Amino acid sequence: RIVQDRSLAERLASSSLAPQLLDLAAHAAEASGEVASSSSSSSSSSPCPEPQATTAKDRLLTEAPLPTSRQMNIYFLQQFIPFIGFGFFDNFIMILAGDYIDSRLGVAFGISTMAAAAIGNTFSDVIGVQIAGVIETAGAAMGLPASGLTELQRCDIRMRILKNTGMVLGIVVGCMLGMAPLVYPQEWRLWPSREERIHTDLEDATVVGVV
């Protein structure tokens, strides 16, 4: 109204309260700008829009149409296949590293088998982080088509469950495959086991004692 009514603007400008009114207007403009920027940043940080419904069902199920069976199968495989690699390398490296540490450091420094397994798991996790990009690239190189799911469809609780199920099953299958070193023939071992080293050390100590 002030912009449209020139006489009103002139009267306010000549009033002694003009500086206070200008300060109030400036603070109101800053507050509205901060609210708008915070709302825009919060909406851009989350891919899922804020639900307007009040019931739990409407909050979990989006308004987007349910993807086709083919789209859901592709989306499942996109989560399932890479996590087979993650699970495989996690268990495979942990078993090998833990066995080597148990055989070498376990005998030399008296480290327990569980401690050696924990150290091996640390190595496995570090290497898993390093090769994560390689696994994802290998999964993408398999030529799976795009699922075509929209962001709103991905936010649906049913698609979240499908995604998590694919990752969990992929990890389980990969970890089972990563247990392959456990069935490795004993005579083909690259280094002696802890029991063999303890047995050898006892025999050497016995021979030295006899001599």
Side-chain angles (χ1 to χ4, degrees):
R1 184 180 177 186
I2 295 176
V3 177
Q4 297 175 355
D5 194 344
R6 183 179 181 84
S7 61
L8 178 59
E10 290 176 351
R11 287 198 300 271
L12 289 176
S14 62
S15 174
S16 60
L17 299 177
Q20 298 178 7
L21 292 174
L22 290 175
D23 290 338
L24 290 174
H27 288 307
E30 291 177 359
S32 62
E34 291 174 358
V35 171
S37 61
S38 62
S39 62
S40 61
S41 61
S42 62
S43 62
S44 60
S45 61
S46 177
C48 299
E50 289 295 330
Q52 301 297 326
T54 57
T55 62
K57 179 180 179 181
D58 292 337
R59 288 178 178 273
L60 296 176
L61 303 177
T62 62
E63 297 178 354
L66 193 66
T68 63
S69 298
R70 181 177 182 275
Q71 287 179 309
M72 288 190 287
N73 289 334
I74 294 174
Y75 190 58
F76 175 85
L77 291 176
Q78 287 175 342
Q79 319 305 320
F80 176 74
I81 293 176
F83 276 85
I84 293 178
F86 288 126
F88 173 81
F89 283 105
D90 186 66
N91 249 11
F92 190 85
I93 297 173
M94 183 194 69
I95 292 174
L96 291 181
D99 182 70
Y100 184 84
I101 293 170
D102 187 42
S103 173
R104 302 296 179 178
L105 301 182
V107 176
F109 300 102
I111 297 176
S112 65
T113 302
M114 292 301 296
I119 299 173
N121 186 59
T122 303
F123 276 103
S124 174
D125 291 341
V126 171
I127 295 175
V129 171
Q130 297 296 327
I131 65 175
V134 177
I135 295 175
E136 293 176 355
T137 303
M142 297 185 65
L144 282 176
S147 63
L149 268 68
T150 64
E151 290 296 336
L152 197 58
Q153 287 176 324
R154 295 173 192 268
C155 294
D156 193 292
I157 186 62
R158 292 167 291 187
M159 294 303 101
R160 293 183 182 182
I161 293 175
L162 180 65
K163 177 182 177 180
N164 292 336
T165 303
M167 291 189 293
V168 168
L169 292 180
I171 282 285
V172 171
V173 173
C175 287
M176 292 178 65
L177 295 175
M179 294 170 64
L182 297 179
V183 297
Y184 197 74
Q186 188 72 17
E187 60 272 13
W188 293 358
R189 289 180 60 92
L190 300 179
W191 55 82
S193 64
R194 178 175 184 144
E195 291 76 13
E196 291 175 346
R197 287 180 59 86
I198 293 175
H199 183 70
T200 302
D201 292 344
L202 287 176
E203 286 183 348
D204 293 342
T206 302
V207 172
V208 171
V210 171
V211 173

